[in-house]
Amino acid sequence: MNARTEPAEAQAEPDATTRPALIREFLLVAGLFLVYKLGRQLATGHTGEAFRNARDVWDLERSAHLPDETSVQSALLDGDGLVHLANTYYATVHFPATLAFLVWLYLRRPAHYLWARRALAAVTTAALVLPFTFPLAPPRMLAGTGLVDTARIYGPSVYGPPSSDHLSNQFAAMPSLHFGWALMVAVGLIAATRSRWRWLWLLHPLLTLLVIVGTANHYWLDAIVATAMLGLALAVIHPPRRTATTAGRGTDRLAPSTSVLVGAGR
């Protein structure tokens, strides 16, 4: 039988992905951010329980011999410039970095974009449940720890007094979506690219971890829980199979572009 070639697109796997419609994705991502903000506001209150849980988390960390958050903050407080930089990073990098990550994947790696967006949505949705079931005051509010509210003292701060802050729920420290999203950004970029330097993206969640702990906005356990949630999401939501298209140059169509031999083995 004569062999012939056919474009591999005709042999594409069933899950070959086209770039999703821009307007739909804009609305989905905007909705994700809106749910994140509104969901945290709905979980306000429970102040007494939030402080009791904070004391339990602090004691559990000490029992588990986790590093003391005060040691990280002490390093930041060595210079006003360093702590101001950490506060700025906390206030300004979280949302823009995640949005830029999604935009880049959408334009260059559509299949990875769908995977990352689903994982972020799953983690964010799961994270909204905890403030209802386990309200938690951040370490900057916990007396007797030696920690200070670096944002209030050195600026900039994204939070007002808890009693009058209607834009955020300051008693929803666990899990840390600052860290969870930063870790997903790193994992997504490592999975979607082939550069030998791609592992350096892990510096983003590492720096985020030091910032959220050093500014006393989160406990170590907040980041650990966020990592566990992301791990569960990624165990269920698998990344696309790495090919020259999914890990190389992005295209609208994510089927292999090479030709395959058909009929030679019949």
Side-chain angles (χ1 to χ4, degrees):
M1 182 176 291
N2 293 331
R4 69 183 188 277
T5 59
E6 288 183 358
E9 187 172 348
Q11 302 293 321
E13 297 178 1
D15 62 348
T17 307
T18 56
R19 182 174 290 117
L22 179 60
I23 297 299
R24 188 193 70 176
E25 290 305 308
F26 174 80
L27 293 175
L28 283 173
V29 173
L32 174 63
F33 282 89
L34 186 61
V35 168
Y36 165 71
K37 296 298 292 184
L38 291 180
R40 290 171 68 92
Q41 290 181 35
L42 290 175
T44 55
H46 310 288
T47 303
E49 185 180 359
F51 279 101
R52 287 193 297 272
N53 290 336
R55 178 54 62 185
D56 290 341
V57 166
W58 182 266
D59 292 341
L60 177 60
E61 288 188 342
R62 307 292 76 79
S63 299
H65 303 290
L66 290 176
D68 198 325
E69 285 88 346
T70 56
S71 61
V72 181
Q73 186 171 94
S74 296
L76 290 181
L77 295 177
D78 278 345
D80 291 355
L82 188 59
V83 69
H84 182 81
L85 184 62
N87 291 332
T88 302
Y89 190 95
Y90 181 86
T92 62
V93 173
H94 177 46
F95 281 106
T98 307
L99 182 59
F101 163 69
L102 290 174
V103 169
W104 185 85
L105 286 182
Y106 178 85
L107 295 174
R108 302 297 301 274
R109 307 287 190 273
H112 283 90
Y113 163 79
L114 288 172
W115 163 65
R117 190 251 288 158
R118 289 165 183 161
L120 283 170
V123 170
T124 303
T125 302
L128 293 177
V129 176
L130 270 180
F132 290 98
T133 59
F134 192 77
L136 182 65
R140 57 187 165 81
M141 295 183 183
L142 195 57
T145 62
L147 294 165
V148 299
D149 188 344
T150 61
R152 181 180 59 83
I153 297 173
Y154 300 94
S157 177
V158 295
Y159 301 119
S163 59
S164 60
D165 185 0
H166 303 297
L167 297 178
S168 59
N169 178 13
Q170 297 188 46
F171 299 108
M174 182 179 290
S176 170
L177 285 182
H178 265 75
F179 182 76
W181 288 9
L183 185 58
M184 184 61 220
V185 168
V187 170
L189 290 173
I190 290 170
T193 58
R194 293 184 295 178
S195 168
R196 70 180 66 181
W197 303 103
R198 68 186 185 276
W199 295 99
L200 291 177
W201 287 112
L202 290 173
L203 292 175
H204 175 45
L206 176 59
L207 182 58
T208 299
L209 178 60
L210 295 177
V211 164
I212 63 175
V213 171
T215 58
N217 282 293
H218 288 283
Y219 306 88
W220 296 112
L221 279 178
D222 298 340
I224 293 173
V225 171
T227 302
M229 285 183 168
L230 180 60
L232 288 174
L234 294 179
V236 176
I237 306 169
H238 300 290
R241 182 170 55 87
R242 181 181 291 272
T243 65
T245 306
T246 58
R249 293 183 178 180
T251 59
D252 288 340
R253 187 74 176 177
L254 297 183
S257 60
T258 57
S259 295
V260 295
L261 202 60
V262 178
R266 295 180 182 176

